[in-house]
């Protein structure tokens, strides 16, 4: 069935939210050196303040489901971005590192809730498309992160006062979010599921019920198309949480440790910085092209192939250490894990027996827990053995993904019976 114009507009609108969400925070990151200098703190103290962001995200992330049920995903995502930009306006005026960490705590908390809401709404739009689109949305988040980083770097290079820079960022991205809100889907969060449960073939653009994944209980049309499967749902959420944590670990490895690893291979500063560029560029390409690959081969096959690709790529880079092999290894890890987190989020949102937004909230929370713990674990191994040994965690994450990929919902829909 053809996709209607309102649904196409909703896709563009939610894509704009993903891009904006990525751009808001990464506008700040290039200004960290200036903020650190203004605060007059050591690296250790500054790092402690930075921990406020993931800590806020971790503690507030579980509130996202309740917020979505109360206000709906469209409103939470769009106006949550506006609130996030307002919170960033406090950063130029913080008097000390404690206040700086406190503002980052608030920004991280808001970002966690926005992240769940925009994914929930993106998955609503995806059901109307009857094919995967969520990977391209995550790809646009990566594009937004690059855009925000370039804006922040340009502002720093021009020595634009931080207050003026963040005011421009807040005004620009708030306008985008508010305009996008006008074109998002209306109605209850379960509107698409309810329609397909009542008559899968009736509503134009509505998908049939998803196929039961290996280990997934099949849902019957009770309570809006869902039955209660508390036990199996908890086990599935645990498996999906493992997959999300693997994705978080690999993303953190590329962002936090790539430059340090290349520096240990005697790369100069400019070359060492290419590690995260190689990782993010490959991941962005993988996400922008991932929907067609997932539609053709299924989520499980793509996740397993990606796990093997990442494990082999990084394993080879660590076995034969050089600047070239390291860059290739990080690129293959980014490409291999490009679709894993979106796939885990999609499956969590389709679990039967859970209120709208609950599965997505839990998996997103576990992912952020992985982002908080990953640098600590890799750093510990690096101190005890070496960073080369610590990056074996990427290889392990790839192998674990191969095993746990069976938990993913494989296809968007099955043939009517």
């Amino acid at each position: 069935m053809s996709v209607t114009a309102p649904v196409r507009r909703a896709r563009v609108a939610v894509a704009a939210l993903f891009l904006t969400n990525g751009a808001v925070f990464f506008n700040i990151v290039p200004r960290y050196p200036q903020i650190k200098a203004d605060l007059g703190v050591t690296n250790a103290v500054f790092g402690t303040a930075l921990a406020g962001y993931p800590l806020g995200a971790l503690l507030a992330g579980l509130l996202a489901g309740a917020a979505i049920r109360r206000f709906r995903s469209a409103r939470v995502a769009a106006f949550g971005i506006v609130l996030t930009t307002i919170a960033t306006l406090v950063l130029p005026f913080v008097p000390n590192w404690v206040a700086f960490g406190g503002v980052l705590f608030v920004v991280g908390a808001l970002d966690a809730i926005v992240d769940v809401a925009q994914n929930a709404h993106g998955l609503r739009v995806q059901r109307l498309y009857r094919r995967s689109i969520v990977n391209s949305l995550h790809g646009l988040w990566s594009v937004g992160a690059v855009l925000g980083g370039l804006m922040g770097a340009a502002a720093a290079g021009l020595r634009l006062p931080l207050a003026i820079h963040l005011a421009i960022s807040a005004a620009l991205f708030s306008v985008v979010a508010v305009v996008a809100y006008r074109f998002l889907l209306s109605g209850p969060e379960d509107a698409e599921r309810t329609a397909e449960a009542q008559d899968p073939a009736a509503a134009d653009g509505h998908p049939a019920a998803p196929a039961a994944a290996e280990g997934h209980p099949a849902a019957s049309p009770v309570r809006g198309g869902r039955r209660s499967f508390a036990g199996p749902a908890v086990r599935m959420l645990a498996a999906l949480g493992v997959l999300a944590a693997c994705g978080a670990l690999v993303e953190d490895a590329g962002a936090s440790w790539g430059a340090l690893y290349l520096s240990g291979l005697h790369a100069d500063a400019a070359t060492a910085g290419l590690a995260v560029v190689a990782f993010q560029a490959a991941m962005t390409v993988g996400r922008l092209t991932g929907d067609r690959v997932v539609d053709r081969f299924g989520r499980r096959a793509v996740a397993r192939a990606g796990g093997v690709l990442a494990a082999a790529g990084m394993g080879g880079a660590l076995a034969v250490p050089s600047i070239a092999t390291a860059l290739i290894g990080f690129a293959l890890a980014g490409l291999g894990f490009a679709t894993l987190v979106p796939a885990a989020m999609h499956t969590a949102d389709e679990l039967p027996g859970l209120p709208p937004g609950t599965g997505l909230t839990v998996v997103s929370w576990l992912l952020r827990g992985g982002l908080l713990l990953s640098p600590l674990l890799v750093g510990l191994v690096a101190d005890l053995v070496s960073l080369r040994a610590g990056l074996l965690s990427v290889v392990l994450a790839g192998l674990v993904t191969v095993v746990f990929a069976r938990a993913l919902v494989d296809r968007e829909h099955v043939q009517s019976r």
Side-chain angles (χ1 to χ4, degrees):
M1 297 181 182
S2 61
V3 177
T4 62
V7 175
R8 287 194 295 271
R9 287 194 292 268
R11 179 179 180 176
V12 173
V14 75
L17 293 183
F18 269 83
L19 187 144
T20 301
N21 178 242
V24 169
F25 179 72
F26 278 86
N27 253 276
I28 305 168
V29 174
R31 307 305 299 264
Y32 277 175
Q34 177 190 333
I35 295 173
K36 178 178 177 295
D38 290 344
L39 294 175
V41 296
T42 64
N43 287 325
V45 172
F46 191 69
T48 302
L50 292 180
Y53 183 89
L55 184 60
L58 190 66
L59 294 180
L62 290 177
L63 302 176
I68 290 171
R69 290 190 293 274
R70 175 68 178 83
F71 300 107
R72 298 182 181 171
S73 60
R75 191 174 294 127
V76 172
F79 292 101
I81 288 175
V82 175
L83 290 177
T84 304
T85 65
I86 293 173
T88 65
L89 295 178
V90 182
L91 288 172
F93 309 103
V94 293
N96 52 53
W97 71 270
V98 176
F100 175 61
V103 175
L104 288 184
F105 180 95
V106 174
V107 172
L110 289 169
D111 180 72
I113 295 172
V114 168
D115 184 51
V116 175
Q118 67 184 10
N119 274 283
H121 204 82
L123 290 170
R124 284 188 64 184
V125 177
Q126 178 170 274
R127 293 183 194 105
L128 297 176
Y129 265 80
R130 302 191 67 175
R131 59 182 174 85
S132 178
I133 65 168
V134 73
N135 291 296
S136 65
L137 298 178
H138 281 253
L140 286 172
W141 183 94
S142 298
V143 172
V146 173
L147 173 64
L150 291 174
M151 288 177 62
L158 294 171
R159 297 184 180 180
L160 193 66
L162 185 60
I164 296 177
H165 164 209
L166 294 183
I168 294 172
S169 169
L172 173 63
F173 296 121
S174 292
V175 168
V176 173
V178 171
V179 171
Y181 173 71
R182 297 184 56 194
F183 300 99
L184 297 174
L185 299 176
S186 59
E189 292 301 302
D190 255 3
E192 295 76 30
R193 291 193 184 99
T194 302
E196 72 187 35
Q198 292 173 346
D199 187 356
D204 183 22
H206 285 77
E214 300 172 30
H216 277 261
S220 62
V222 177
R223 294 193 306 174
R226 294 186 162 196
R227 285 178 56 187
S228 178
F229 289 100
V234 169
R235 291 193 294 272
M236 289 304 304
L237 281 176
L240 294 171
V242 170
L243 289 174
C246 285
L249 185 151
V250 174
E251 290 192 36
D252 176 72
S256 300
W257 304 105
L260 288 173
Y261 180 67
L262 262 71
S263 296
L265 297 175
H266 308 294
D268 58 41
T271 304
L274 292 178
V276 67
V277 173
F279 182 91
Q280 287 291 350
M283 176 165 279
T284 300
V285 170
R287 285 177 169 174
L288 292 177
T289 60
D291 290 314
R292 290 184 179 181
V293 178
V294 164
D295 284 336
R296 180 170 182 178
F297 298 105
R299 291 183 180 84
R300 291 185 218 126
V302 173
R304 285 169 177 150
V308 171
L309 183 66
M314 186 56 71
L318 298 174
V320 186
S322 72
I323 293 174
T325 57
L327 290 174
I328 293 172
F330 279 111
L332 292 178
L335 183 62
F337 274 81
T339 65
L340 181 63
V341 170
M345 288 181 168
H346 168 85
T347 302
D349 201 49
E350 295 295 331
L351 287 178
L354 297 176
T358 300
L360 188 58
T361 297
V362 172
V363 168
S364 297
W365 184 80
L366 291 171
L367 181 149
R368 291 183 180 273
L371 285 174
L372 184 63
L373 293 177
S374 173
L376 300 177
L377 295 175
V378 175
L380 178 63
V381 174
D383 283 343
L384 293 176
V385 187
S386 68
L387 182 53
R388 186 180 175 189
L391 288 175
L392 284 172
S393 58
V394 176
V395 179
L396 179 61
L399 298 177
V400 171
T401 298
V402 173
V403 175
F404 280 80
R406 70 186 301 272
L408 298 172
V409 166
D410 202 25
R411 304 279 180 175
E412 279 310 302
H413 63 277
V414 294
Q415 298 295 327
S416 302
R417 287 188 289 242

